[in-house]
Amino acid sequence: AVIRQAAEKPAPKLRSLIRPLDRDLETICAKCLEREPAARYRSAGDLAEDLERWLEGRPIVARPVSPPVRLWRWSKRNPIVSASIVGCLFLGAVAASRQIKNERLTLAAKEEVAALHSVEIVSIFDLDRAKPEDALSAQLGAELQRSFAAIGPGRITLGAPGSARPFTIQHSDKVETRAALLGTIRQLGKKSRMTLRAIDARSGQTFLHRIFTFENPSSIAPGMAHELGAELYSLLDSRISPVGDVANDPGMKNPRAREHIIAGRELLGGRVGDDIDRAIDLFRKAIEITPDSSLAYSGLAEALSRHHVYAVKDSSLDEAERAARQALALNGENGEAHRMLAGTLYFQGHLTEALEEIQRAFECPVVDSRGAGLAGMIEKALGRPDRALVWLRIAKTDEPHPAEHDAMRGDCWTELTEDEQAEACYRRYWELRPQHPEGWMGICRVRLLQGKFAEANAICAKNAARYAEFKYSGEMAAQTAFFSRDFVAAEKLYGALMDANATGGADFYSAVSYESALGRILSARADPRGNELLRKSKAVELKNVAAAPRDPDALYRLAAVEASLGEDAAASRHLRSAKEAGWIDFRAAMVDPRFDNLRATVSGRAILEEMKATVASLREQASKEKEDQ
C-alpha cells in the first residue's frame, strides 16, 4: 500500500501535517518529493542554495506546481475518467456552437420578418391648411410601432419632415421599406377625418385604404392605431393585393372600350379644339360599349371641361358635371371623377363645393396627382394665393411637362403684387412651353396692372397673332386695348369676340365679359347701345350670382357692370361681397375703365384699400412659407 501510494499519488502537502510552517518551505519540500526526476532539484547544491534563500528571507527558486500541470498529471493517472470528461466537453462545445448558430439564424429570420413588415410614414397632410403635419406623423409612427411590437418583428420609420409629395411615391423617392404610409387630415364640422393609404414601395400600388373620424385633431387615438397596425401587419404577411386599381374598371377590361379610353386621353394632351372634339367622341363611344365604365364617364367629363376652357366656343358645363356625377355613381372611389367634378364646379363658380370635391379626391385609394394643380386654382379663386402656391409646389413634383404649373404660379405672385417673381415664372413657362400663350399673356397682364400700357401693347402686338388659335390670345389683345383706353381698337376686338361667343370673357383675367366691356366703350361716347348692353350684361350677372352667390368672379363682374351704369351703391355692395368671397385683385379694379365712377367714391376707395391690406398680409404669409421650404 505504501509503495502504491508513492507510485500513484502525490506526496501530502507539508502544511497539511504541520500548519504553522511557511508556504515557501512547503514548496521546497514538495519539489524534493516530485516523482519525476526532471521536476526535482538537479543537485544537493541547488537545494542548499534554495534553503539558504529561505533562511535569509529572500525569494526562493522553486515554484508551486500550476493548476494546468496538476490537471495534466491527474489525467495521466485517471485516463478513463479524463477521456470521459474530454468527451463531455467536446459534446458541450458542439452543442454550444449549434446554439450560437441557431441564435444567429433566429436573428437573421427576425430581421427578415422585420423587413417584410417595414413601413415608412411619408406624410400626414392637412388638406385645410395645405401643410404637412409632422408631429401627427411622428405620433402615428410611435403608436404603430407599439402595435407591431405586440404582434411580431416590424419596423416603422418616419420620412423626412415636410414632404414635397404627400400623395404619391416614386422610385426616385428611395423608400427603403416594404411599404409607404401616406395620409390626409381635415376638419368636418367638429370632428377630424383622417384618411390613410398604404402603398407598396416597389409597385406603387395602394393595398390598404382606411378612413377614421375622431374628436381631437391633434392626437391619434391608440385604439385606432392598434386596429390599423393589426390589419397592416396582417396584409404585409401575404402577397399584396391592390385596391382601387383602374384595371378593374369595366372599360379597361373590354379591349374595344379600353382602346377608345386610351386614345381619348392621348388627344387630351393638346389644346386644339378639334382634338378635344375627337376625344369627346371617343369617350362617348367607350360609354356606348361599356355603359358601366366609371373611367369612360370621368374621361368624358374631362374632355368637356377642356372644351369649355380651350375651344373657341364655350361648351356647356352641365354635361361635364353630369358625366362626372355618373362616374361617381358607378364608382364612388374614382379619384379622377372627384377631380373632374371639382373642376366643373370650379368653372361654375361653386368654389366651396369644388374644394370639398378635390379634398375627397385626395382621400381616394388612388390619388390623381393632377388634383394638386386644381386645388391651387380653387384656393387662388377663394382669395388664398399664398396657399395656392403650396399646392402648386406639390403639383410641380409630378408635373408631366416642365414648367406646366409656372403660369398659374405667376398668377398667384401677381395677385400678391410680387411682380418680379411672377415675371420669372411667366418667362420660364414661355421658354419651356413656347407652344402655349400663357407666358407672354402673364407678362402682358403684369404690365397692364403696373400701368405700363405701352409695354403691354408692344408685347400683345408681337404675340397675339402668332397664337390666334387660342381664344385667350384674342381676349388678351382686347383687354390690353381696353385697359389702355384705346377704345377704338378695343371695340373692334371685343366685337369680333362677341360674334364668336356672345357670353364669353367671364373666366379670363380681370373677369371682363365681352358684353360689359363693349357696353362701357359705347357708353363712353354716349352711344345708347352702350347702356343697353350694360343692362343686358347686368341681367346675366344677376342670374350668375343667383346661381352661385359666393362666386367672387360673378360678384366682381356684377359690381363692374353696376359701376359702369353709375349705380355706385349697388356696385360698392357687390364689390365688398366679392372681396369677402375671395376677390383680392385690387390692381385690376384700379385700371379697369368699368370702375372709373366707383373709384371716385369714398366707399369704392375704402374697399380697394381693404383689398390692398389683405394682399399685404397674404404676401407676408407667402414669404414665410417660402422661407420655411
Side-chain angles (χ1 to χ4, degrees):
V2 172
I3 293 172
R4 187 166 54 249
Q5 177 178 336
E8 296 178 359
K9 294 182 180 180
K13 292 184 177 181
L14 183 61
R15 291 197 302 162
S16 66
L17 303 175
I18 309 173
R19 290 186 179 280
L21 290 182
D22 184 74
R23 181 183 295 273
D24 282 352
L25 182 59
E26 180 184 65
T27 300
I28 293 172
C29 293
K31 189 173 182 68
C32 293
L33 294 171
E34 287 286 351
R35 285 189 298 277
E36 297 179 11
R40 303 174 197 150
Y41 287 104
R42 288 179 296 181
S43 66
D46 289 345
L47 170 60
E49 184 180 347
D50 232 9
L51 287 171
E52 286 180 0
R53 287 173 176 273
W54 176 74
L55 288 170
E56 293 172 1
R58 292 184 292 137
I60 62 174
V61 175
R63 289 288 179 270
V65 178
S66 63
V69 173
R70 288 200 299 270
L71 179 62
W72 170 250
R73 292 175 180 175
W74 178 87
S75 66
K76 288 180 67 177
R77 293 193 306 272
N78 302 276
I80 297 176
V81 177
S82 61
S84 300
I85 293 174
V86 169
C88 291
L89 290 174
F90 175 76
L91 292 175
V94 171
S97 175
R98 288 183 177 179
Q99 178 67 22
I100 293 171
K101 184 177 181 180
N102 288 337
E103 287 181 358
R104 288 178 178 175
L105 289 173
T106 302
L107 289 174
K110 286 182 178 180
E111 180 58 32
E112 184 177 347
V113 174
L116 186 69
H117 298 84
S118 58
V119 180
E120 177 180 324
I121 299 180
V122 177
S123 169
I124 302 295
F125 194 78
D126 190 324
L127 295 174
D128 295 322
R129 300 188 302 143
K131 287 186 176 181
E133 287 286 353
D134 295 328
L136 206 61
S137 299
Q139 186 186 0
L140 177 62
E143 293 291 345
L144 285 179
Q145 185 64 67
R146 278 192 281 271
S147 177
F148 273 26
I151 303 170
R155 184 168 62 249
I156 302 291
T157 57
L158 292 177
S163 172
R165 185 182 286 119
F167 307 118
T168 59
I169 63 168
Q170 292 183 348
H171 293 299
S172 59
D173 293 334
K174 297 181 180 179
V175 175
E176 301 287 343
T177 55
R178 171 96 185 280
L181 190 66
L182 301 95
T184 63
I185 189 170
R186 63 184 176 112
Q187 286 297 114
L188 283 178
K190 295 182 179 180
K191 294 187 176 182
S192 296
R193 174 185 173 102
M194 177 179 284
T195 304
L196 296 170
R197 296 181 299 120
I199 298 177
D200 183 5
R202 290 186 178 180
S203 67
Q205 293 180 314
T206 301
F207 65 92
L208 180 144
H209 175 248
R210 291 291 176 266
I211 297 177
F212 300 93
T213 303
F214 50 94
E215 299 287 345
N216 189 349
S218 60
S219 178
I220 301 292
M224 183 198 85
H226 177 74
E227 177 186 343
L228 175 68
E231 183 176 10
L232 183 55
Y233 198 95
S234 176
L235 288 172
L236 291 171
D237 271 330
S238 57
R239 182 178 178 181
I240 288 175
S241 298
V243 296
D245 191 359
V246 296
N248 295 323
D249 183 85
M252 300 304 285
K253 289 182 176 180
N254 184 295
R256 289 182 58 222
R258 183 174 181 272
E259 289 177 344
H260 285 76
I261 292 172
I262 293 175
R265 292 184 184 280
E266 289 178 352
L267 285 170
L268 289 179
R271 298 183 179 183
V272 180
D274 290 343
D275 285 349
I276 295 173
D277 288 338
R278 284 193 288 268
I280 291 172
D281 292 338
L282 285 168
F283 286 121
R284 283 177 174 158
K285 184 63 177 178
I287 290 171
E288 289 179 12
I289 299 169
T290 52
D292 55 346
S293 171
S294 178
L295 285 180
Y297 275 105
S298 60
L300 177 61
E302 181 168 8
L304 291 166
S305 296
R306 292 283 188 96
H307 192 275
H308 169 78
V309 175
Y310 300 120
V312 175
K313 292 185 179 181
D314 285 342
S315 174
S316 171
L317 288 171
D318 294 339
E319 187 180 357
E321 182 182 350
R322 287 195 300 271
R325 293 192 184 278
Q326 180 60 31
L328 290 172
L330 292 168
N331 180 7
E333 293 187 339
N334 182 345
E336 181 184 80
H338 280 293
R339 179 175 65 86
M340 295 322 305
L341 181 55
T344 59
L345 292 170
Y346 165 78
F347 287 119
Q348 291 169 340
H350 302 298
L351 301 181
T352 304
E353 295 86 344
L355 185 62
E356 167 66 20
E357 283 300 323
I358 199 62
Q359 289 183 341
R360 292 186 65 183
F362 293 133
E363 295 173 335
C364 288
V366 178
V367 174
D368 187 342
S369 60
R370 291 176 295 175
L374 179 57
M377 294 169 61
I378 296 170
E379 290 283 16
K380 175 184 170 295
L382 286 168
R384 291 303 304 263
D386 58 320
R387 194 174 288 169
L389 285 167
V390 177
W391 284 111
L392 294 171
R393 189 160 52 244
I394 294 170
K396 189 175 180 63
T397 60
D398 289 319
E399 61 186 11
H401 307 290
E404 184 169 11
H405 296 91
D406 276 24
M408 177 59 67
R409 291 175 63 230
D411 292 347
C412 293
W413 286 119
T414 299
E415 292 212 347
L416 292 169
T417 66
E418 291 282 0
D419 294 344
E420 186 175 336
Q421 295 193 62
E423 189 165 336
C425 291
Y426 291 133
R427 289 196 181 280
R428 183 170 185 271
Y429 186 94
W430 197 1
E431 178 183 0
L432 298 177
R433 297 177 66 79
Q435 71 274 32
H436 300 305
E438 281 89 335
W440 70 264
M441 288 195 311
I443 296 173
C444 184
R445 181 194 177 211
V446 170
R447 295 293 181 270
L448 286 177
L449 298 180
Q450 292 172 337
K452 299 177 180 179
F453 302 124
E455 293 182 28
N457 277 282
I459 295 170
C460 199
K462 184 177 180 180
N463 294 282
R466 293 170 54 192
Y467 296 87
E469 71 270 25
F470 297 96
K471 70 168 186 174
Y472 288 152
S473 293
E475 289 181 309
M476 192 74 249
Q479 189 172 121
T480 300
F482 185 49
F483 281 12
S484 302
R485 297 177 185 273
D486 183 356
F487 287 167
V488 174
E491 180 179 356
K492 182 179 179 181
L493 292 167
Y494 275 120
L497 290 170
M498 279 196 68
D499 289 341
N501 180 15
T503 61
D507 57 352
F508 189 61
Y509 285 143
S510 304
V512 182
S513 65
Y514 307 158
E515 202 168 47
S516 67
L518 197 54
R520 173 67 179 85
I521 292 168
L522 293 174
S523 65
R525 64 169 188 256
D527 188 324
R529 292 177 300 169
N531 281 347
E532 182 181 343
L533 281 173
L534 288 171
R535 284 192 292 271
K536 186 178 178 181
S537 179
K538 178 183 175 181
V540 171
E541 300 304 348
L542 283 170
K543 185 178 179 180
N544 289 334
V545 169
R550 295 292 298 168
D551 181 3
D553 285 23
L555 289 164
Y556 181 83
R557 292 195 305 269
L558 178 56
V561 173
E562 290 170 334
S564 298
L565 287 168
E567 300 172 359
D568 295 342
S572 295
R573 185 171 65 254
H574 287 121
L575 184 60
R576 181 172 294 281
S577 297
K579 170 191 168 295
E580 292 170 353
W583 185 277
I584 60 172
D585 190 6
F586 68 94
R587 292 196 295 178
M590 294 294 292
V591 296
D592 190 336
R594 297 177 301 170
F595 284 98
D596 286 351
N597 292 334
L598 193 63
R599 284 196 301 271
T601 66
V602 174
S603 60
R605 288 194 298 271
I607 296 170
L608 294 178
E609 286 298 319
E610 291 174 14
M611 289 184 186
K612 187 175 181 180
T614 299
V615 168
S617 175
L618 295 176
R619 184 171 60 246
E620 182 179 350
Q621 182 65 29
S623 298
K624 184 177 181 300
E625 291 283 350
K626 189 177 180 181
E627 290 174 1
D628 292 340
Q629 294 301 313

